[in-house]
Amino acid sequence: MIQFPNNFYWGAATSSYQVEGNNVNADWWPWEILAGKEKSGPACRHYEFYEQDFDLAKSLNHNAHRLSIEWSRIEPKEGEFSGQAVQHYIDVIKALRSRGIEPMVTLHHFTNPIWFSDSGGWVDPGSVKRFLRYCDVVTRALAPHVHFWFTINEPTIYFSHAYLWGMWPPQARSFLKTRSVRDNMVDAHIGVYRLMHKIYKELNIPSPSVSFAHHMQAIVGCDQGLKNRLAVAMRVQLYNLEILDHLTKAKALDFIGVNYYSRHLVDVHSWWIGDLLMQTCKDNHHPLKKNFLGWDIYPEGLALVLLSLKKYNLPVIIAENGICTTDDNERWEYIQSHLRNVHRAMSQGVNVAGYLYWSLMDNFEWAYGYAPRFGLIEIDYNTHLRTVRESAKKYADVCRTGAVT
Ligand code: IFM
């Protein structure tokens, strides 16, 4: 048996668009129709049922919860802020606090207001100023109630899916645009980091802890040949560490938020730079169990990723880790095996402060719609009834005792 520290944060994560429902002013809403995707529609109706959902989280012994603020609700038209939406999120945060659950708040989780996308989205140099204006409003309203913030969720996934691979709105396929979005998001993070610290000082509130949620894969070679070793080293730097190097140099991280799901298996057959950076294994070299979406389940990769962060000497919060599956036993095995690897990294000196399972409940998995089931809580999308899964009950024991067998 392994034992986690007493003050560890245990809980789950969600994002506004994926659970709230009816986010009609967000750019994903018209895109789902345009692209012929499954519609997010009422989602889990969490916007209405958050109190009931937080009762369930509390009954499952969670002491932390990550959620996101929907920018398109706060600022449905450029420069027009909705007092009602701001109040809603104050109520949501207070609902967590009153249940003894630490809120961890994300400001941008993949969706943008339609007006923002129409004015050029994250490619536009004005995007940083627009995002900061929204963050200013939200920070001033929530600062008295929130200590932990994530500025942007998975910027590398956002810019690669939306601007490089053309899989998400606005479906661009442009290296130059991808680079602009990356640069603007990095600048936005740094700007918000400084803004938040300034506002907390002005309001005389103890300094917040600010980070972003970084999607990290375990990047491993099929074999130890020279090409694969070189490709692994290049990709670890480019995909996993480059953005952290940049933000730690700018002194714009109080902790590191890690989203970990799977591995990236490198198998390179030429010295061409494109292959070195992108070629992955197409054979069945090292088969592993897969989740519902076909992603490899690779728990030891979480320890690998965490150990790569040791050099930054910052606390780490696992902001997401989870599995979509129709077999709930697999979910519990996934949680257990990943927690063992979190503990292994901690025993080798990584300061991990918390673990948030993705997700508290089944939800809208972007372009894949509602089929993938990530939740600790099952959602019946016809009745919106919630059912606590067995894995959630087992995880609840971990949250209560800090012990993992
Ligand atoms: O559902 C997503 C989430 O929005 C961001 N991280 C990965 C999850 C699973 O794909």
Side-chain angles (χ1 to χ4, degrees), residues 15 18 109-110 153-154 215 259 261 293 295 320 358 363-366 374:
S15 90
Q18 294 177 271
H109 195 120
F110 296 158
N153 181 68
E154 298 181 351
H215 179 89
N259 293 3
Y261 288 88
L293 290 171
W295 308 346
E320 289 181 24
W358 181 269
N363 61 50
F364 179 70
E365 180 55 22
W366 306 112
F374 276 97

Side-chain angles (χ1 to χ4, degrees), residues 281-341:
C281 180
K282 298 281 174 295
D283 305 310
N284 212 13
H285 279 152
H286 304 286
L288 292 175
K289 272 193 174 173
K290 294 183 191 301
N291 76 5
F292 179 84
L293 290 171
W295 308 346
D296 285 345
I297 298 171
Y298 189 57
E300 49 275 55
L302 182 50
L304 198 73
V305 157
L306 291 173
L307 287 165
S308 75
L309 302 178
K310 209 170 148 180
K311 65 174 182 170
Y312 298 110
N313 206 14
L314 284 169
V316 175
I317 292 179
I318 318 278
E320 289 181 24
N321 174 238
I323 179 173
C324 50
T325 176
T326 50
D327 176 352
D328 193 48
N329 290 320
E330 278 185 1
R331 187 179 334 275
W332 171 237
E333 280 165 26
Y334 185 98
I335 295 174
Q336 243 185 339
S337 58
H338 283 74
L339 285 176
R340 286 193 203 109
N341 280 283

Side-chain angles (χ1 to χ4, degrees), residues 13-157:
T14 60
S15 90
S16 51
Y17 197 83
Q18 294 177 271
V19 296
E20 284 179 349
N22 298 318
N23 273 309
V24 297
N25 292 314
D27 54 358
W28 266 77
W29 190 268
W31 184 77
E32 289 157 20
I33 301 165
L34 202 78
K37 299 285 179 190
E38 185 168 7
K39 316 279 181 297
S40 55
C44 308
R45 296 176 65 183
H46 178 69
Y47 201 80
E48 299 153 71
F49 296 149
Y50 67 90
E51 297 259 11
Q52 158 181 346
D53 292 333
F54 296 161
D55 281 343
L56 289 175
K58 186 176 165 54
S59 76
L60 294 170
N61 305 319
H62 294 192
N63 65 10
H65 180 74
R66 177 173 170 235
L67 64 120
S68 77
I69 308 287
E70 184 60 40
W71 182 2
S72 62
R73 284 188 191 270
I74 301 285
E75 193 180 0
K77 293 206 180 113
E78 176 155 26
E80 285 181 24
F81 293 89
S82 158
Q84 211 182 358
V86 172
Q87 189 55 48
H88 169 82
Y89 288 109
I90 295 176
D91 295 345
V92 167
I93 304 293
K94 283 187 173 169
L96 286 169
R97 284 250 175 254
S98 69
R99 288 164 177 80
I101 301 177
E102 180 76 33
M104 300 191 176
V105 178
T106 310
L107 287 157
H108 184 275
H109 195 120
F110 296 158
T111 53
N112 303 295
I114 293 173
W115 64 260
F116 175 84
S117 297
D118 287 349
S119 56
W122 284 97
V123 179
D124 192 274
S127 54
V128 178
K129 235 170 66 195
R130 294 178 188 120
F131 185 60
L132 257 84
R133 184 178 52 190
Y134 146 73
C135 292
D136 186 279
V137 171
V138 173
T139 308
R140 285 180 194 282
L142 298 189
H145 316 289
V146 178
H147 176 73
F148 290 100
W149 293 93
F150 296 89
T151 55
I152 300 177
N153 181 68
E154 298 181 351
T156 57
I157 293 294

